[in-house]
Amino acid sequence: SEGRNVPQTYCQVLELIEATPPFDTLDGRLRHLAGLRNLMAHEYLDLRFRRIRRFVETDADSIAELSRITGKWSQRNRP
């Protein structure tokens, strides 16, 4: 960790990713993924279906944008 704080939550990990160019163009949209991940990992689907549906309807484009940025980044940073 070289003197850096280690993220303690998934949300903090996603915030660090978003603070790093070129992912900084995501403007805070990935934070919602932490909540969605927790819902799915802990099998709260029966209780939180509306929240998951709202994510799919409003935030799913964040996944596509992350994928696009990651693809471009990986192409530029190949060994």
Side-chain angles (χ1 to χ4, degrees):
S1 70
E2 301 173 1
R4 297 182 190 153
N5 290 330
V6 177
Q8 299 299 307
T9 66
Y10 289 106
C11 187
Q12 290 172 347
V13 169
L14 295 171
E15 287 171 347
L16 286 173
I17 291 170
E18 289 178 331
T20 306
F23 304 100
D24 54 346
T25 60
L26 290 166
D27 299 322
R29 292 183 286 163
L30 293 183
R31 289 183 204 135
H32 302 290
L33 296 179
L36 181 64
R37 177 257 171 222
N38 290 339
L39 285 174
M40 297 177 86
H42 299 290
E43 300 182 33
Y44 298 145
L45 296 179
D46 56 329
L47 303 175
R48 306 288 184 194
F49 182 75
R50 280 186 281 158
R51 184 171 172 193
I52 293 169
R53 182 177 178 182
R54 185 173 55 236
F55 169 82
V56 170
E57 292 173 349
T58 62
D59 297 318
D61 63 322
S62 299
I63 300 291
E65 182 69 7
L66 175 62
S67 178
R68 185 187 69 74
I69 292 169
T70 303
K72 289 173 71 175
W73 179 85
S74 66
Q75 290 294 321
R76 287 194 312 267
N77 293 289
R78 285 193 172 175

